[in-house]
């Protein structure tokens, strides 16, 4: 198959291949590459795809891919590149009279304008006779000098066939939103999660810890119908957060014109949800509360149920039946949050549906066994975003078979994220 150069954004290096694989499945584009050839410190990866059209289709909604380039040559010197390019001269004729432009870039070094012009002139042997157009050119050619720690360059050359959707990061920038809160997920990662969930037209996506609704926005942007819930209705209504009095989540839905694809939001405890039994959602995309910026709560009372409080009469009406009654809540320990989230996904996802969520872990104690398992959920990706003494991991799981009511998860040991909130504020000191 023809070779192409994937030009990644040089950040979130642990997330780039999982997004590439997710898009390959979403767009039904076969991509072949050697995982061992992936270098985190490099923005380039050579892949094989059947055609330029398929390559462009693959990256059209990518967040961590800048562009994809039809491979024409590479080498340590320009002489090496020229030699390889000249072996495929029949390729040149296709663009001989087309309007064209050259983009010259460097990674690990800056090039002056004079150096860029010299690079472009070095490809004059291509003998293109078409007009040069910096905008809307029929063919764009890409040259990049990549410098590593040895300061020895590797030069890449090819024709740009497609670009990603990194412009969406600016469009969904949280600083531009009418409503946000202290737990609002940044735009880049919200969009990335929508890709991991493979959100698209015809899908029904649920966020059980919806907060200010970032994932509703990004999944709806890609065509999915979305719904969210939270035990704290203040975040949904906009009576808590950094920008109050703007109608909460609804203000953002109107701002991004996705009201028709966000079905609704509701206030309830996701671990005691009102959803009908059986599979319902094509994806669950969420950021569970782990206590760094907001503590997790669930329905209940500290110390257990107290019937004399729950059933007492107030002005002749049972307390729980009053319109202003708000059920009591208790702290929701992190390992139980994740356990219940997996149970929810196992029951409510359709087969083939994806669960995409963030898992906090302690840097010095994490092992792969800390990622919770479930008999009907298969781990697809585990990408780390480090914060020094702790990390959060974007976990992607896929439901591989229907749920048997007898299948349950019994952890063999306490995971490193147990009591994460307490440990975080104790600066991850030794466990007593």
């Amino acid at each position: 198959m023809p070779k192409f150069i994937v030009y990644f954004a040089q950040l979130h290096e642990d997330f780039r291949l999982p997004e590439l694989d997710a898009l390959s499945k979403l767009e039904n584009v076969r991509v072949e590459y050697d995982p061992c050839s992936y270098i985190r410190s490099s923005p380039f990866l050579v892949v094989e795809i059947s055609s330029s059209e398929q390559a462009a289709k693959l990256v059209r909604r990518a967040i961590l891919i800048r562009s994809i380039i039809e491979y024409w040559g590479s080498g340590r010197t320009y002489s090496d590149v020229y030699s390889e390019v000249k072996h495929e001269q029949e390729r040149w004729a296709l663009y001989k009279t087309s309007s064209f432009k050259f983009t010259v870039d460097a990674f690990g070094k800056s090039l002056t304008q004079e150096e860029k012009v010299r690079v472009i002139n070095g490809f004059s042997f291509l003998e293109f006779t078409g007009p040069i157009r910096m905008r809307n050119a029929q063919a764009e050619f890409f040259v990049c000098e990549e410098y590593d720690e040895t300061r020895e360059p590797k030069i890449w050359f090819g024709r740009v066939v497609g670009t990603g959707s990194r412009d969406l990061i600016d469009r969904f920038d949280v600083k531009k939103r009418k409503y946000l809160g202290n737990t609002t997920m940044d735009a880049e990662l919200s969009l990335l999660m929508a890709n991991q969930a493979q959100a698209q037209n015809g899908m029904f996506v649920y966020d059980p810890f919806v907060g200010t609704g970032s994932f509703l926005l990004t999944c709806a942007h890609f065509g999915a119908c979305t719904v969210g819930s939270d035990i704290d209705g203040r975040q949904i209504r906009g009576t808590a957060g950094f920008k109050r009095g703007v109608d909460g989540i609804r203000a953002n839905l109107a701002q991004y014109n996705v009201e028709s694809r966000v079905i609704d939001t509701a206030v309830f405890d996701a671990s005691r949800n009102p959803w009908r039994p059986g599979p319902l959602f094509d994806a669950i995309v969420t950021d569970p509360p782990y206590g760094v910026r907001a503590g997790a709560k669930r329905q209940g009372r500290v110390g257990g149920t107290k019937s004399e409080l729950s059933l007492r009469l107030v002005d002749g009406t049972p307390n729980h039946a009053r319109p202003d009654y708000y059920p009591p809540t208790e702290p929701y320990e992190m390992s139980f949050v994740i356990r219940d989230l997996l149970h929810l996904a196992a029951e409510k996802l359709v087969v083939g549906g994806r669960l995409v969520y963030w898992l906090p872990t302690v840097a010095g104690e994490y092992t792969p066994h800390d990622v919770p398992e479930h008999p009907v959920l298969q781990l697809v990706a585990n990408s780390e975003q480090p914060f020094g003494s702790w990390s959060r991991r974007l976990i992607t799981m896929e439901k591989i078979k229907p749920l048997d009511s007898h299948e349950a998860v019994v952890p063999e040991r306490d995971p490193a994220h147990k009591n994460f909130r307490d440990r975080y504020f104790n600066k991850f000191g030794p466990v007593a």
Side-chain angles (χ1 to χ4, degrees):
M1 288 198 297
K3 292 198 295 185
F4 295 85
I5 307 165
V6 176
Y7 184 17
F8 289 110
Q10 192 56 29
L11 74 170
H12 298 309
E13 296 87 350
D14 212 28
F15 297 70
R16 300 187 305 193
L17 287 187
E19 186 193 31
L20 178 66
D21 293 339
L23 293 175
S24 173
K25 184 174 182 180
L26 171 66
E27 302 286 10
N28 193 27
V29 174
R30 180 184 172 191
V31 182
E32 294 184 0
Y33 64 89
D34 178 6
C36 296
S37 68
Y38 176 71
I39 302 172
R40 290 170 57 94
S41 59
S42 171
F44 299 109
L45 175 69
V46 175
V47 301
E48 294 184 357
I49 303 173
S50 61
S51 68
S52 298
E53 293 75 18
Q54 288 290 90
K57 180 182 177 184
L58 172 70
V59 306
R60 61 186 176 181
R61 55 178 277 182
I63 302 304
L64 297 180
I65 297 174
R66 297 181 184 277
S67 58
I68 191 162
I69 299 122
E70 182 182 58
Y71 180 93
W72 281 31
S74 65
R76 287 293 180 183
T77 67
Y78 277 100
S79 295
D80 294 337
V81 177
Y82 300 154
S83 178
E84 187 170 359
V85 172
K86 290 175 181 178
H87 280 301
E88 300 284 346
Q89 294 191 28
E90 67 277 2
R91 190 182 268 161
W92 310 353
L94 298 174
Y95 311 101
K96 188 173 182 62
T97 60
S98 301
S99 61
F100 70 97
K101 65 177 283 190
F102 268 73
T103 298
V104 181
D105 201 357
F107 178 77
K109 180 184 176 181
S110 295
L111 298 179
T112 66
Q113 190 61 32
E114 291 75 13
E115 288 174 320
K116 291 181 179 180
V117 171
R118 189 161 55 249
V119 168
I120 294 172
N121 289 336
F123 287 91
S124 60
F125 64 87
L126 294 172
E127 298 182 335
F128 293 145
T129 60
I132 298 172
R133 289 183 182 164
M134 300 312 293
R135 292 187 178 182
N136 301 319
Q138 292 173 307
E140 177 182 353
F141 297 92
F142 175 82
V143 188
C144 186
E145 298 180 7
E146 179 188 7
Y147 292 84
D148 57 20
E149 63 279 357
T150 68
R151 306 306 297 169
E152 291 292 328
K154 180 169 184 179
I155 301 153
W156 301 88
F157 177 65
R159 180 178 66 91
V160 177
V161 298
T163 57
S165 290
R166 289 188 58 75
D167 59 300
L168 292 177
I169 299 172
D170 180 67
R171 179 181 175 189
F172 284 92
D173 186 351
V174 296
K175 295 178 182 178
K176 298 180 179 179
R177 292 187 197 173
K178 292 184 177 179
Y179 174 61
L180 74 157
N182 64 341
T183 60
T184 300
M185 181 65 64
D186 76 75
E188 187 168 29
L189 293 174
S190 297
L191 290 160
L192 178 65
M193 292 175 71
N195 277 344
Q196 286 296 107
Q198 301 175 336
Q200 59 182 310
N201 289 329
M203 286 183 61
F204 192 19
V205 178
Y206 173 46
D207 181 356
F209 303 100
V210 71
T212 58
S214 290
F215 306 135
L216 303 188
L217 294 177
T218 55
C219 291
H221 168 78
F222 288 121
C225 291
T226 62
V227 65
S229 68
D230 205 296
I231 197 171
D232 185 355
R234 296 172 301 171
Q235 294 274 10
I236 295 174
R237 294 188 295 270
T239 55
F242 296 151
K243 298 181 180 179
R244 305 184 185 186
V246 294
D247 204 19
I249 288 178
R250 290 182 181 179
N252 289 342
L253 304 184
Q255 179 183 354
Y256 291 100
N257 194 30
V258 293
E259 300 109 313
S260 64
R261 290 194 291 275
V262 177
I263 306 303
D264 208 347
T265 53
V267 179
F268 57 79
D269 179 353
S271 68
R272 302 185 181 190
N273 64 78
W275 301 119
R276 62 170 170 77
L280 182 60
F281 304 112
D282 298 289
I284 295 176
V285 183
T286 194
D287 181 22
Y290 34 86
V292 175
R293 287 179 287 182
K297 298 287 186 180
R298 65 178 172 183
Q299 226 176 297
R301 295 183 186 274
V302 177
T305 300
K306 299 178 182 178
S307 58
E308 67 275 12
L309 296 178
S310 301
L311 301 178
R312 68 180 178 179
L313 298 178
V314 178
D315 297 332
T317 302
N319 191 24
H320 68 278
R322 291 168 55 86
D324 61 349
Y325 176 74
Y326 192 87
T329 59
E330 62 177 348
Y332 199 3
E333 198 276 308
M334 187 66 216
S335 62
F336 294 141
V337 173
I338 301 300
R339 178 202 64 187
D340 292 345
L341 177 61
L342 262 66
H343 288 325
L344 176 71
E347 180 186 356
K348 300 304 178 188
L349 283 177
V350 300
V351 173
R354 288 193 164 194
L355 167 65
V356 183
Y357 72 98
W358 288 100
L359 176 72
T361 58
V362 182
E365 301 174 19
Y366 167 79
T367 72
H369 298 291
D370 287 322
V371 178
E373 298 178 343
H374 194 285
V376 306
L377 299 174
Q378 182 179 70
L379 181 66
V380 174
N382 175 357
S383 304
E384 181 187 19
Q385 184 183 25
F387 295 108
S389 58
W390 69 284
S391 300
R392 63 180 180 183
R393 292 174 176 272
L394 184 60
I395 306 298
T396 304
M397 308 182 85
E398 188 169 303
K399 186 172 178 179
I400 56 174
K401 63 179 181 179
L403 176 67
D404 184 327
S405 60
H406 299 293
E407 291 180 310
V409 178
V410 180
E412 297 180 358
R413 63 180 184 85
D414 290 339
H417 55 268
K418 184 174 183 180
N419 297 318
F420 183 83
R421 175 182 171 85
D422 294 339
R423 299 203 59 197
Y424 176 85
F425 288 107
N426 192 36
K427 300 187 183 301
F428 301 104
V431 180

